[in-house]
Amino acid sequence: MEQKTDLFEERLQAANASYRDGDIKAALKAYARLMETYPEEPLCYYNMALAFIEKEDYTMAKKLFEQALKLGFISSKIYIGLGFCALKLSQFEEAATFFAGVPEEAEEYIEGLIGRVYASVLSHQTGNIPPLLAELKGRNVWNQELELLSKRSRY
């Protein structure tokens, strides 16, 4: 394995630029080349997972997020990505578990709470919903969509 260098950063930035520009095919190729050279670099897997979400291939994205996590990229963003993929794959209980992995002090905590609400509504685990909604209201996070989820959870 090549040592992580400025070359890695340059290649990663170029792949990310393709992704941002909407050239998902080029980004995927670039991430794959990076993974060949740097197979233990979790950012390659994480970024490729995001590209697969753009392609709506949630199974592959989930596998890549899991590999990034396995390689030591411990981040709330990984748990949000895993939860999102699990929701899209109708794995609602697993999604709730991933979203619950976002620590309270994380910037993505509110997103994790909202994800847990969705997972609970979709899995018909209505007992989980009132405390989650109460916490969101207590944090002054409320909108029409959450109001609709609140009403949906009562049925």
Side-chain angles (χ1 to χ4, degrees):
M1 181 180 84
E2 224 177 275
Q3 200 69 7
K4 190 171 158 183
T5 62
D6 290 338
L7 178 60
F8 168 79
E9 293 298 328
E10 287 174 29
R11 291 173 67 194
L12 182 63
Q13 290 305 318
N16 290 345
S18 293
Y19 172 78
R20 279 190 308 276
D21 292 343
D23 191 350
I24 303 305
K25 187 175 180 179
L28 287 170
K29 284 182 182 180
Y31 293 134
R33 283 191 301 273
L34 277 169
M35 288 165 58
E36 288 173 6
T37 308
Y38 305 94
E40 300 298 316
E41 178 50 60
L43 282 176
C44 298
Y45 298 87
Y46 173 78
N47 288 324
M48 188 178 236
L50 295 175
F52 272 105
I53 285 177
E54 290 295 320
K55 289 182 57 91
E56 298 182 9
D57 186 341
Y58 304 110
T59 300
M60 183 57 78
K62 187 176 174 214
K63 287 177 185 176
L64 289 161
F65 281 133
E66 288 169 342
Q67 183 62 24
L69 191 62
K70 182 179 172 184
L71 290 172
F73 187 50
I74 310 300
S75 167
S76 297
K77 292 177 181 181
I78 291 282
Y79 292 108
I80 294 295
L82 284 166
F84 179 78
C85 290
L87 277 179
K88 290 294 195 173
L89 296 168
S90 300
Q91 300 166 342
F92 305 126
E93 289 180 27
E94 190 175 13
T97 301
F98 287 132
F99 288 127
V102 178
E104 189 171 351
E105 64 276 3
E107 184 179 321
E108 297 83 6
Y109 182 69
I110 298 299
E111 194 174 348
L113 278 175
I114 293 169
R116 289 168 61 193
V117 170
Y118 273 102
S120 296
V121 167
L122 293 170
S123 66
H124 307 290
Q125 300 290 324
T126 55
N128 299 338
I129 299 168
L132 295 170
L133 292 175
E135 185 172 354
L136 286 166
K137 279 185 178 179
R139 292 172 177 268
N140 295 317
V141 177
W142 202 252
N143 59 31
Q144 186 177 11
E145 190 171 1
L146 288 171
E147 183 65 35
L148 291 171
L149 287 172
S150 173
K151 289 177 182 177
R152 182 175 175 187
S153 71
R154 291 184 216 144
Y155 298 110

